[in-house]
Amino acid sequence: MVAQVIDGKAFAAKVRAQVADQVAKLKEENGITPGLAVVLVGEDPASQVYVRSKGKMTVEVGMNSYEHKLDVDTSEKDLLALIDKLNNDPAVHGILVQLPLPKHLNEDLVINSIDPAKDVDGFHISNVGLLGTGQKSMVPCTPLGCLMMLRDHHGSLSGMDAVVVGRSNIVGKPMAQLLLGDSCTVTIAHSRTKDLPDVVRRADIVVAAVGRPEMVPGDWIKEGATVIDVGINRIERDGKNKLVGDVDYASAAERAGAITPVPGGVGPMTIACLLANTLTACCRANKLPEPEGLTA
Ligand code: NDP
């Protein structure tokens, strides 16, 4: 079997176009422009790149983008004061604090100071609890993107066996909750899982979110399974820098029914879902119907 490639780049462009359409409608019919505030503390080069591309895409879909760049030694008090100001600003519907934060800042405290209704990353403890109890929440962007691609490919996921490899708070755990919400039978695997190859071989859906280059070989994949590779790993091969996932793409593509490539799979969906979440937050804040197909 040769796997169908799930083109995350094309899918993300479709999601962004849907968001842009809805934003245009909101402006025309309600005079409202969704706004996303991104807070960056310090000058981490990777974070700067992410923040720049988030700002660019926010503007491209017609939303307002507010960037707050703070000094690396900004105090917790000053950062919390800024978040409080953004929480109370009606023009701001989404707030994202770019992680990781410098060591002297308490990440949990900072994230939990964001108004949960504006927490477009879905990391606030209230949103974690709401997702865990199957209630309406803001859902973390990367797992939301994975869910959208799976729904698009399969239609219903009901009754499918899903294995999520990785149990982080930002990917593995929320991914498992979302799959459970769509009535999959879900296994969460991690570094202590026994017989990981056997566990993965049982799955109709494999989501790999480990952070280890090409750790999942093709012979762990059940014939015809759908493979979602969240991993983004920079490696050097043949003297060149290369981006690879957590799945060995070449061998997995020979057995899977469908697979996301790296790059061009899950990655582009993450920012698209951030924009979708900002739109959702704006609709909720204004008591308007939520955008269809862009939420969990
Ligand atoms: P974390 O490091 O927070 O979590 C990794 C998880 O993998 C842990 O639960 C760990 O288990 C598990 N793990 C580690 N080694 C093994 C092993 N040998 N066998 C089984 N499980 C293992 O990573 P993240 O969840 O933050 O990210 C995972 C990957 O996804 C990274 O490559 C990251 O770059 C990428 N990523 C991509 C995004 C995108 O937009 N596409 C967004 C976010 C992340 P344990 O808990 O037992 O230690």
PDB file of all heavy atoms in Angstrom, residues 211-233:
ATOM      1  N   GLY A 211       9.183  13.982  19.818  1.00  0.00           N
ATOM      2  CA  GLY A 211      10.380  14.809  19.739  1.00  0.00           C
ATOM      3  C   GLY A 211      11.644  13.993  19.584  1.00  0.00           C
ATOM      4  O   GLY A 211      12.717  14.404  20.024  1.00  0.00           O
ATOM      5  N   ARG A 212      11.495  12.804  18.957  1.00  0.00           N
ATOM      6  CA  ARG A 212      12.669  11.966  18.658  1.00  0.00           C
ATOM      7  C   ARG A 212      12.660  11.638  17.168  1.00  0.00           C
ATOM      8  O   ARG A 212      11.724  10.978  16.679  1.00  0.00           O
ATOM      9  CB  ARG A 212      12.618  10.657  19.449  1.00  0.00           C
ATOM     10  CG  ARG A 212      12.911  10.879  20.899  1.00  0.00           C
ATOM     11  CD  ARG A 212      12.789   9.608  21.682  1.00  0.00           C
ATOM     12  NE  ARG A 212      13.128   9.888  23.063  1.00  0.00           N
ATOM     13  CZ  ARG A 212      14.271   9.540  23.636  1.00  0.00           C
ATOM     14  NH1 ARG A 212      15.178   8.867  22.958  1.00  0.00           N
ATOM     15  NH2 ARG A 212      14.507   9.847  24.883  1.00  0.00           N
ATOM     16  N   PRO A 213      13.724  12.073  16.458  1.00  0.00           N
ATOM     17  CA  PRO A 213      13.719  11.936  15.005  1.00  0.00           C
ATOM     18  C   PRO A 213      13.473  10.491  14.533  1.00  0.00           C
ATOM     19  O   PRO A 213      14.187   9.579  14.938  1.00  0.00           O
ATOM     20  CB  PRO A 213      15.118  12.415  14.583  1.00  0.00           C
ATOM     21  CG  PRO A 213      15.834  12.837  15.829  1.00  0.00           C
ATOM     22  CD  PRO A 213      14.906  12.737  16.974  1.00  0.00           C
ATOM     23  N   GLU A 214      12.447  10.329  13.737  1.00  0.00           N
ATOM     24  CA  GLU A 214      12.144   9.068  13.024  1.00  0.00           C
ATOM     25  C   GLU A 214      12.093   7.866  13.945  1.00  0.00           C
ATOM     26  O   GLU A 214      12.489   6.762  13.569  1.00  0.00           O
ATOM     27  CB  GLU A 214      13.161   8.882  11.894  1.00  0.00           C
ATOM     28  CG  GLU A 214      13.081  10.030  10.889  1.00  0.00           C
ATOM     29  CD  GLU A 214      14.194  10.029   9.859  1.00  0.00           C
ATOM     30  OE1 GLU A 214      15.289   9.511  10.164  1.00  0.00           O
ATOM     31  OE2 GLU A 214      13.976  10.572   8.765  1.00  0.00           O
ATOM     32  N   MET A 215      11.578   8.056  15.151  1.00  0.00           N
ATOM     33  CA  MET A 215      11.560   6.973  16.146  1.00  0.00           C
ATOM     34  C   MET A 215      10.594   5.846  15.789  1.00  0.00           C
ATOM     35  O   MET A 215      10.822   4.689  16.136  1.00  0.00           O
ATOM     36  CB  MET A 215      11.167   7.563  17.502  1.00  0.00           C
ATOM     37  CG  MET A 215      11.384   6.629  18.645  1.00  0.00           C
ATOM     38  SD  MET A 215      10.490   7.171  20.111  1.00  0.00           S
ATOM     39  CE  MET A 215       8.942   6.339  19.908  1.00  0.00           C
ATOM     40  N   VAL A 216       9.504   6.197  15.101  1.00  0.00           N
ATOM     41  CA  VAL A 216       8.490   5.174  14.776  1.00  0.00           C
ATOM     42  C   VAL A 216       8.770   4.628  13.375  1.00  0.00           C
ATOM     43  O   VAL A 216       8.552   5.311  12.369  1.00  0.00           O
ATOM     44  CB  VAL A 216       7.064   5.784  14.842  1.00  0.00           C
ATOM     45  CG1 VAL A 216       6.017   4.743  14.465  1.00  0.00           C
ATOM     46  CG2 VAL A 216       6.786   6.378  16.228  1.00  0.00           C
ATOM     47  N   PRO A 217       9.241   3.373  13.286  1.00  0.00           N
ATOM     48  CA  PRO A 217       9.530   2.812  11.962  1.00  0.00           C
ATOM     49  C   PRO A 217       8.272   2.266  11.294  1.00  0.00           C
ATOM     50  O   PRO A 217       7.254   2.024  11.967  1.00  0.00           O
ATOM     51  CB  PRO A 217      10.498   1.669  12.284  1.00  0.00           C
ATOM     52  CG  PRO A 217      10.149   1.249  13.672  1.00  0.00           C
ATOM     53  CD  PRO A 217       9.581   2.456  14.376  1.00  0.00           C
ATOM     54  N   GLY A 218       8.354   2.045  10.001  1.00  0.00           N
ATOM     55  CA  GLY A 218       7.193   1.580   9.245  1.00  0.00           C
ATOM     56  C   GLY A 218       6.628   0.268   9.762  1.00  0.00           C
ATOM     57  O   GLY A 218       5.420   0.061   9.726  1.00  0.00           O
ATOM     58  N   ASP A 219       7.488  -0.644  10.264  1.00  0.00           N
ATOM     59  CA  ASP A 219       6.930  -1.940  10.662  1.00  0.00           C
ATOM     60  C   ASP A 219       6.171  -1.896  11.986  1.00  0.00           C
ATOM     61  O   ASP A 219       5.633  -2.900  12.432  1.00  0.00           O
ATOM     62  CB  ASP A 219       7.989  -3.066  10.625  1.00  0.00           C
ATOM     63  CG  ASP A 219       8.985  -2.965  11.751  1.00  0.00           C
ATOM     64  OD1 ASP A 219       8.964  -1.946  12.481  1.00  0.00           O
ATOM     65  OD2 ASP A 219       9.802  -3.899  11.895  1.00  0.00           O
ATOM     66  N   TRP A 220       6.063  -0.719  12.615  1.00  0.00           N
ATOM     67  CA  TRP A 220       5.158  -0.553  13.761  1.00  0.00           C
ATOM     68  C   TRP A 220       3.745  -0.170  13.290  1.00  0.00           C
ATOM     69  O   TRP A 220       2.823  -0.118  14.091  1.00  0.00           O
ATOM     70  CB  TRP A 220       5.623   0.575  14.685  1.00  0.00           C
ATOM     71  CG  TRP A 220       6.876   0.341  15.445  1.00  0.00           C
ATOM     72  CD1 TRP A 220       7.798  -0.639  15.255  1.00  0.00           C
ATOM     73  CD2 TRP A 220       7.355   1.137  16.545  1.00  0.00           C
ATOM     74  NE1 TRP A 220       8.828  -0.508  16.154  1.00  0.00           N
ATOM     75  CE2 TRP A 220       8.580   0.578  16.954  1.00  0.00           C
ATOM     76  CE3 TRP A 220       6.879   2.266  17.196  1.00  0.00           C
ATOM     77  CZ2 TRP A 220       9.329   1.111  18.005  1.00  0.00           C
ATOM     78  CZ3 TRP A 220       7.620   2.798  18.242  1.00  0.00           C
ATOM     79  CH2 TRP A 220       8.842   2.214  18.639  1.00  0.00           C
ATOM     80  N   ILE A 221       3.624   0.200  12.033  1.00  0.00           N
ATOM     81  CA  ILE A 221       2.350   0.759  11.545  1.00  0.00           C
ATOM     82  C   ILE A 221       1.470  -0.347  10.990  1.00  0.00           C
ATOM     83  O   ILE A 221       1.906  -1.146  10.152  1.00  0.00           O
ATOM     84  CB  ILE A 221       2.624   1.821  10.429  1.00  0.00           C
ATOM     85  CG1 ILE A 221       3.560   2.932  10.943  1.00  0.00           C
ATOM     86  CG2 ILE A 221       1.323   2.408   9.890  1.00  0.00           C
ATOM     87  CD1 ILE A 221       3.027   3.752  12.090  1.00  0.00           C
ATOM     88  N   LYS A 222       0.225  -0.371  11.467  1.00  0.00           N
ATOM     89  CA  LYS A 222      -0.737  -1.346  10.934  1.00  0.00           C
ATOM     90  C   LYS A 222      -1.044  -0.989   9.484  1.00  0.00           C
ATOM     91  O   LYS A 222      -1.181   0.200   9.151  1.00  0.00           O
ATOM     92  CB  LYS A 222      -2.011  -1.269  11.793  1.00  0.00           C
ATOM     93  CG  LYS A 222      -3.148  -2.138  11.353  1.00  0.00           C
ATOM     94  CD  LYS A 222      -4.120  -2.287  12.499  1.00  0.00           C
ATOM     95  CE  LYS A 222      -5.509  -1.850  12.120  1.00  0.00           C
ATOM     96  NZ  LYS A 222      -6.440  -1.997  13.239  1.00  0.00           N
ATOM     97  N   GLU A 223      -1.158  -1.996   8.656  1.00  0.00           N
ATOM     98  CA  GLU A 223      -1.484  -1.781   7.248  1.00  0.00           C
ATOM     99  C   GLU A 223      -2.758  -0.910   7.135  1.00  0.00           C
ATOM    100  O   GLU A 223      -3.791  -1.262   7.729  1.00  0.00           O
ATOM    101  CB  GLU A 223      -1.720  -3.167   6.616  1.00  0.00           C
ATOM    102  CG  GLU A 223      -1.701  -3.215   5.117  1.00  0.00           C
ATOM    103  CD  GLU A 223      -0.295  -3.116   4.508  1.00  0.00           C
ATOM    104  OE1 GLU A 223       0.693  -3.598   5.118  1.00  0.00           O
ATOM    105  OE2 GLU A 223      -0.224  -2.535   3.427  1.00  0.00           O
ATOM    106  N   GLY A 224      -2.657   0.205   6.438  1.00  0.00           N
ATOM    107  CA  GLY A 224      -3.844   1.047   6.203  1.00  0.00           C
ATOM    108  C   GLY A 224      -4.119   2.088   7.276  1.00  0.00           C
ATOM    109  O   GLY A 224      -5.072   2.870   7.152  1.00  0.00           O
ATOM    110  N   ALA A 225      -3.309   2.121   8.342  1.00  0.00           N
ATOM    111  CA  ALA A 225      -3.559   3.084   9.429  1.00  0.00           C
ATOM    112  C   ALA A 225      -3.308   4.530   8.954  1.00  0.00           C
ATOM    113  O   ALA A 225      -2.608   4.758   7.961  1.00  0.00           O
ATOM    114  CB  ALA A 225      -2.651   2.776  10.617  1.00  0.00           C
ATOM    115  N   THR A 226      -3.881   5.465   9.697  1.00  0.00           N
ATOM    116  CA  THR A 226      -3.622   6.890   9.423  1.00  0.00           C
ATOM    117  C   THR A 226      -2.577   7.388  10.408  1.00  0.00           C
ATOM    118  O   THR A 226      -2.722   7.198  11.619  1.00  0.00           O
ATOM    119  CB  THR A 226      -4.928   7.700   9.566  1.00  0.00           C
ATOM    120  OG1 THR A 226      -5.869   7.169   8.634  1.00  0.00           O
ATOM    121  CG2 THR A 226      -4.696   9.178   9.276  1.00  0.00           C
ATOM    122  N   VAL A 227      -1.541   8.015   9.893  1.00  0.00           N
ATOM    123  CA  VAL A 227      -0.411   8.438  10.732  1.00  0.00           C
ATOM    124  C   VAL A 227      -0.312   9.968  10.729  1.00  0.00           C
ATOM    125  O   VAL A 227      -0.182  10.588   9.672  1.00  0.00           O
ATOM    126  CB  VAL A 227       0.914   7.830  10.210  1.00  0.00           C
ATOM    127  CG1 VAL A 227       2.097   8.305  11.050  1.00  0.00           C
ATOM    128  CG2 VAL A 227       0.836   6.304  10.209  1.00  0.00           C
ATOM    129  N   ILE A 228      -0.406  10.548  11.924  1.00  0.00           N
ATOM    130  CA  ILE A 228      -0.262  11.996  12.079  1.00  0.00           C
ATOM    131  C   ILE A 228       1.039  12.240  12.830  1.00  0.00           C
ATOM    132  O   ILE A 228       1.184  11.860  13.989  1.00  0.00           O
ATOM    133  CB  ILE A 228      -1.452  12.582  12.886  1.00  0.00           C
ATOM    134  CG1 ILE A 228      -2.806  12.222  12.259  1.00  0.00           C
ATOM    135  CG2 ILE A 228      -1.287  14.100  13.051  1.00  0.00           C
ATOM    136  CD1 ILE A 228      -3.128  12.900  10.952  1.00  0.00           C
ATOM    137  N   ASP A 229       1.983  12.856  12.146  1.00  0.00           N
ATOM    138  CA  ASP A 229       3.321  13.046  12.713  1.00  0.00           C
ATOM    139  C   ASP A 229       3.473  14.494  13.195  1.00  0.00           C
ATOM    140  O   ASP A 229       3.597  15.418  12.384  1.00  0.00           O
ATOM    141  CB  ASP A 229       4.371  12.722  11.636  1.00  0.00           C
ATOM    142  CG  ASP A 229       5.772  12.629  12.206  1.00  0.00           C
ATOM    143  OD1 ASP A 229       5.967  12.978  13.397  1.00  0.00           O
ATOM    144  OD2 ASP A 229       6.674  12.212  11.459  1.00  0.00           O
ATOM    145  N   VAL A 230       3.452  14.677  14.517  1.00  0.00           N
ATOM    146  CA  VAL A 230       3.540  16.025  15.092  1.00  0.00           C
ATOM    147  C   VAL A 230       4.999  16.482  15.225  1.00  0.00           C
ATOM    148  O   VAL A 230       5.298  17.663  15.247  1.00  0.00           O
ATOM    149  CB  VAL A 230       2.831  16.073  16.473  1.00  0.00           C
ATOM    150  CG1 VAL A 230       2.866  17.479  17.067  1.00  0.00           C
ATOM    151  CG2 VAL A 230       1.382  15.599  16.359  1.00  0.00           C
ATOM    152  N   GLY A 231       5.901  15.534  15.296  1.00  0.00           N
ATOM    153  CA  GLY A 231       7.305  15.833  15.590  1.00  0.00           C
ATOM    154  C   GLY A 231       7.943  16.808  14.610  1.00  0.00           C
ATOM    155  O   GLY A 231       7.675  16.760  13.410  1.00  0.00           O
ATOM    156  N   ILE A 232       8.741  17.702  15.166  1.00  0.00           N
ATOM    157  CA  ILE A 232       9.562  18.586  14.328  1.00  0.00           C
ATOM    158  C   ILE A 232      10.980  18.475  14.877  1.00  0.00           C
ATOM    159  O   ILE A 232      11.261  18.970  15.969  1.00  0.00           O
ATOM    160  CB  ILE A 232       9.096  20.057  14.396  1.00  0.00           C
ATOM    161  CG1 ILE A 232       7.641  20.195  13.940  1.00  0.00           C
ATOM    162  CG2 ILE A 232      10.016  20.953  13.565  1.00  0.00           C
ATOM    163  CD1 ILE A 232       7.103  21.621  14.003  1.00  0.00           C
ATOM    164  N   ASN A 233      11.830  17.783  14.158  1.00  0.00           N
ATOM    165  CA  ASN A 233      13.201  17.561  14.638  1.00  0.00           C
ATOM    166  C   ASN A 233      14.187  18.015  13.571  1.00  0.00           C
ATOM    167  O   ASN A 233      14.055  17.657  12.402  1.00  0.00           O
ATOM    168  CB  ASN A 233      13.422  16.067  14.906  1.00  0.00           C
ATOM    169  CG  ASN A 233      12.354  15.476  15.807  1.00  0.00           C
ATOM    170  OD1 ASN A 233      12.295  15.782  16.990  1.00  0.00           O
ATOM    171  ND2 ASN A 233      11.475  14.635  15.249  1.00  0.00           N
TER     172      ASN A 233
END
